[in-house]
Amino acid sequence: MSSPASAAPRSGVHELTVRGIALGAVITLVFTAANAYLGLKVGLTFATSIPAAVISMALLRYFANHSIIENNIVQTIASAAGTLSAIVFILPGLVMIGWWQGFPYWTTTLVCLVGGVLGVMYSIPLRRALVTGSDLPFPEGVAAAEVLKVGDTAEGAQENKTGLRLILLGSLASAGYALLGKMKVVAESISIPVKIGSGGTIVVPGLSFALIGVGHLVGVTVGIAMIVGLVISYFVLLPIWTSGELGGGEAFSDVVNGIFKNDIRLIGAGAIAVAAVWTLVKILGPVLRGVAESIASARKRRDGELVDITERDIPFPYVAGIVLVSMVPIGVLLWLFTTDTPLDGKAGGIITLSVLFVLVLGLLVASVCGYMAGLIGASNSPISGVGILVVLAAALLIRAVYGPSSGDETIALVAYTLFTGAIVFGIATISNDNLQDLKTGQLVGATPWKQQVALVIGVAFGSAIIPPVLGVLQKGFGFAGAPGAGDNALAAPQASLLAKLSEGVFGGDLDWGLIGLGALIGVVVIVIDETLARSGKFRLPPLAVGMGMYLPMSVTLMIPIGAAIGYYYNRWADRSDNAEGRKRLGTLMATGLIVGESLFGVLYAGIVVLADRVPDLPIIGGKEEPLALPFIGEGYLHWGEALGAILFAAIVYALYTRTKKVAAAEA
């Protein structure tokens, strides 16, 4: 990959600039908050590279001497920070088990920071193997590069302005509907009990524009897989498990929801776990080959080979030094975590183990996640499955080293396992995004070491923002299963699952039989998926099926509907000579749907917190629901559901009709 003729630095081209860093920081605030809310609500996050690139190009064009590689730096910073918000998949588990009452700022910030920086460092040696020296498609990285290239033309500048307007349109529509929902004018979901034999189920479509946007982005294959998982849980398992249980005095929906939460979700967890293991087994060989190629490439460079400016990474001695030095704050964080707890004075062995665990497993996790992002994109990468395996491995090793425990010691060990897993999960989330961003940089002629510095800056911004966002969401909504959580609590599905799995390893009352049944279902799905893969016609991603089984229907049902809408929109786009441009505008509008509702969720959480802390705050509802209109009573419930369904469908139709009209005009 060397090119001596072009190894001289490019003069007069801005890349890593103060204004680019500042703009990246502003975009970071928006997308990190949106992704944190979305991750806690539905267990999914969205890739921020493309919308960040569009916003950057739409704004930087007003400044002199802006460049495509400067815009690339902006999207890199925003993408890294937005991706780091996936740490919400594990940290809320500490609140759910009652160990934390909130998110201590500096502890949470440092966990995110050291994990994220290690994610950047670990993936730098993998760049040559997985980005420049492989045929991995990196679909989202290539798409982001195309957006940057198009935006660097006069026609592209106009398209970026149009794209920004569609993001705003989608954001206003989704936030507006969410506001009406909190005012109780329209329903946020519809609940329909269904009797099946002597058992039953409940159909709960959630009226969420964010879920429509998520479905559009993940695609029809994932959408169909989630529908399969939903059918297994709600129309096969639930009627069997509720058989004979619905004749008592307890409300129908309470019985069904309770059985789903306590039993069916564990079956879904087993399906997710076995799917995650299978995914890692399938890609282990290519990952190991990639690491070997990276080492060979580094050896050639040491031998004096001249490397083009677009191939210059942060020097490997610096990378190795940062990795080793990072073990010190990790050890200190783990020691402080055990101080004044039942583990105090007895944690030396598990702290040593945990530092080595982060050091060694971190590289493997970075390789796996980087490869998965290259194969299927960061949005579709099964990062949750990696988290499950990381926490299970940590729990088993910590239990083996620490020995028997009981009572408060056991609870402390569960918390310690989640805390250790959070550091490794930070590595996973960033390496899942890092190599994708570096692929974008390679395609637009960026300087790798500058982009790697930008990734570290993005990690720092995200680490500073995530704790207060988590704190506001916890106080405003709470987390399902946590002490004091109410009806509107965020599901935080991964954090709940990881906490239960960790408790089960340390001797909790986890029903391993249910998890085993889920694993068996997962094996069957894997066999079906592999059979379909050989036919080359369709796939049934096992992890998506597992997520469809695990998440409540109020979350899962709208994602496949959004995927179907996105599928038909893309088919319409394919009938044009400017198919990619039309699809891109559809993607940006769908991103707006996610951003608008998610940011409103964060804002609403802040209003709830203020209503609780400021007694004289002028609010129209009570402290629990401060925006609820006081004259709307229980008798309005079914009217609200009907109005909500009609208005929701009408807005979706209007948005996509408008997007088609705008996209056709752009062509």
Side-chain angles (χ1 to χ4, degrees):
M1 298 302 298
S2 63
S3 180
S6 59
R10 294 158 293 182
S11 60
V13 179
H14 293 286
E15 188 168 3
L16 187 60
T17 63
V18 173
R19 68 189 182 193
I21 293 172
L23 180 56
V26 173
I27 299 174
T28 286
L29 175 63
V30 175
F31 287 140
T32 300
N35 252 339
Y37 174 80
L38 191 68
L40 290 170
K41 182 177 181 179
V42 304
L44 296 168
T45 56
F46 66 99
T48 58
S49 298
I50 292 176
V54 169
I55 294 171
S56 171
M57 289 183 291
L59 297 179
L60 281 185
R61 68 189 182 88
Y62 292 107
F63 294 86
N65 301 320
H66 63 85
S67 67
I68 186 173
I69 54 177
E70 184 181 16
N71 282 308
N72 178 59
I73 289 293
V74 176
Q75 74 85 16
T76 296
I77 292 173
S79 176
T83 300
L84 187 60
S85 59
I87 199 75
V88 303
F89 289 171
I90 186 169
L91 277 181
L94 291 166
V95 175
M96 291 176 165
I97 65 172
W99 189 259
W100 279 359
Q101 278 65 56
F103 296 92
Y105 182 82
W106 287 111
T107 301
T108 306
T109 296
L110 289 173
V111 167
C112 296
L113 184 62
V114 294
V117 169
L118 281 174
V120 177
M121 294 301 117
Y122 276 132
S123 54
I124 288 173
L126 299 174
R127 186 186 69 84
R128 287 176 175 273
L130 299 183
V131 175
T132 63
S134 78
D135 57 357
L136 288 173
F138 282 98
E140 291 175 354
V142 172
E146 289 303 310
V147 169
L148 288 167
K149 289 176 182 178
V150 169
D152 206 38
T153 65
E155 296 83 358
Q158 177 59 40
E159 183 179 312
N160 287 332
K161 290 173 62 178
T162 303
L164 184 57
R165 286 198 294 268
L166 286 174
I167 290 176
L168 291 173
L169 176 65
S171 297
L172 290 173
S174 61
Y177 186 89
L179 173 61
L180 291 176
K182 294 304 180 187
M183 294 172 68
K184 301 300 180 182
V185 174
V186 297
E188 296 179 83
S189 64
I190 300 172
S191 179
I192 306 170
V194 179
K195 189 83 171 169
I196 301 177
S198 60
T201 187
I202 187 166
V203 178
V204 192
L207 302 178
S208 166
F209 282 96
L211 300 181
I212 294 291
V214 169
H216 186 127
L217 296 185
V218 301
V220 69
T221 299
V222 172
I224 291 175
M226 293 190 77
I227 278 287
V228 171
L230 183 152
V231 169
I232 292 172
S233 284
Y234 275 86
F235 295 98
V236 178
L237 298 177
L238 257 181
I240 295 173
W241 255 253
T242 56
S243 180
E245 300 289 332
L246 300 173
E250 195 173 0
F252 184 100
S253 60
D254 291 339
V255 173
V256 173
N257 288 331
I259 290 176
F260 176 82
K261 177 181 176 182
N262 297 320
D263 295 342
I264 307 303
R265 285 181 69 181
L266 286 179
I267 299 175
I272 291 173
V274 77
V277 172
W278 175 248
T279 301
L280 298 185
V281 168
K282 286 186 69 176
I283 68 173
L284 186 59
V287 166
L288 292 177
R289 286 195 297 272
V291 173
E293 291 171 5
S294 178
I295 294 172
S297 176
R299 187 180 301 117
K300 290 179 181 178
R301 188 177 179 187
R302 285 199 306 270
D303 291 340
E305 183 176 332
L306 186 61
V307 178
D308 189 277
I309 192 171
T310 59
E311 290 296 317
R312 296 178 186 174
D313 296 294
I314 294 176
F316 185 77
Y318 293 175
V319 172
I322 292 172
V323 169
L324 293 176
V325 169
S326 296
M327 297 302 116
V328 176
I330 288 173
V332 172
L333 279 171
L334 294 169
W335 174 71
L336 290 173
F337 190 83
T338 61
T339 301
D340 297 327
T341 73
L343 304 179
D344 198 353
K346 298 181 285 185
I350 58 173
I351 290 174
T352 303
L353 167 71
S354 297
V355 171
L356 293 174
F357 183 81
V358 173
L359 180 65
V360 175
L361 195 68
L363 179 59
L364 177 61
V365 163
S367 303
V368 168
C369 291
Y371 186 88
M372 290 191 298
L375 195 63
I376 58 176
S379 295
N380 295 325
S381 185
I383 193 76
S384 301
V386 174
I388 290 170
L389 296 181
V390 166
V391 169
L392 278 177
L396 291 170
L397 289 171
I398 290 169
R399 181 182 180 183
V401 170
Y402 190 87
S405 64
S406 61
D408 291 342
E409 267 190 345
T410 298
I411 297 173
L413 286 170
V414 171
Y416 180 86
T417 299
L418 293 175
F419 192 73
T420 301
I423 298 172
V424 181
F425 200 78
I427 298 173
T429 60
I430 288 299
S431 55
N432 188 48
D433 170 78
N434 188 3
L435 290 168
Q436 176 175 279
D437 285 332
L438 292 173
K439 180 65 175 182
T440 301
Q442 179 207 20
L443 294 174
V444 300
T447 308
W449 75 263
K450 291 182 179 179
Q451 199 172 1
Q452 289 151 8
V453 170
L455 286 162
V456 173
I457 293 171
V459 166
F461 284 147
S463 300
I465 293 168
I466 287 170
V469 170
L470 277 174
V472 168
L473 291 173
Q474 184 224 343
K475 292 171 185 173
F477 293 100
F479 306 133
D487 294 337
N488 294 323
L490 296 169
Q494 283 90 346
S496 174
L497 171 59
L498 294 176
K500 284 186 177 181
L501 291 177
S502 185
E503 287 173 331
V505 170
F506 288 101
D509 57 354
L510 190 64
D511 191 334
W512 289 98
L514 294 176
I515 292 180
L517 174 60
L520 181 61
I521 293 173
V523 170
V524 173
V525 173
I526 288 169
V527 172
I528 294 172
D529 180 53
E530 291 300 312
T531 302
L532 292 171
R534 290 189 178 89
S535 70
K537 294 181 179 179
F538 188 69
R539 296 300 301 268
L540 193 67
L543 270 171
V545 174
M547 290 297 287
M549 293 174 62
Y550 181 81
L551 292 170
M553 187 187 291
S554 59
V555 170
T556 51
L557 186 58
M558 279 298 159
I559 294 176
I561 291 175
I565 294 171
Y567 171 76
Y568 284 109
Y569 176 88
N570 289 338
R571 283 189 60 183
W572 167 82
D574 283 333
R575 295 196 290 268
S576 165
D577 292 336
N578 187 30
E580 290 306 313
R582 290 185 173 190
K583 289 179 182 178
R584 190 156 48 241
L585 291 176
T587 296
L588 294 174
M589 194 279 293
T591 300
L593 296 179
I594 298 170
V595 171
E597 182 178 321
S598 300
L599 289 183
F600 176 80
V602 176
L603 175 63
Y604 180 74
I607 295 172
V608 173
V609 172
L610 283 176
D612 183 60
R613 295 193 175 186
V614 183
D616 298 328
L617 188 72
I619 54 176
I620 57 178
K623 288 186 176 182
E624 295 296 324
E625 296 180 324
L627 299 183
L629 296 177
F631 53 82
I632 294 181
E634 288 294 326
Y636 182 77
L637 175 63
H638 295 303
W639 290 104
E641 290 180 339
L643 178 60
I646 294 170
L647 184 60
F648 187 87
I651 293 174
V652 169
Y653 177 80
L655 285 172
Y656 274 92
T657 300
R658 175 63 179 169
T659 303
K660 283 184 176 181
K661 184 177 179 180
V662 171
E666 283 295 313

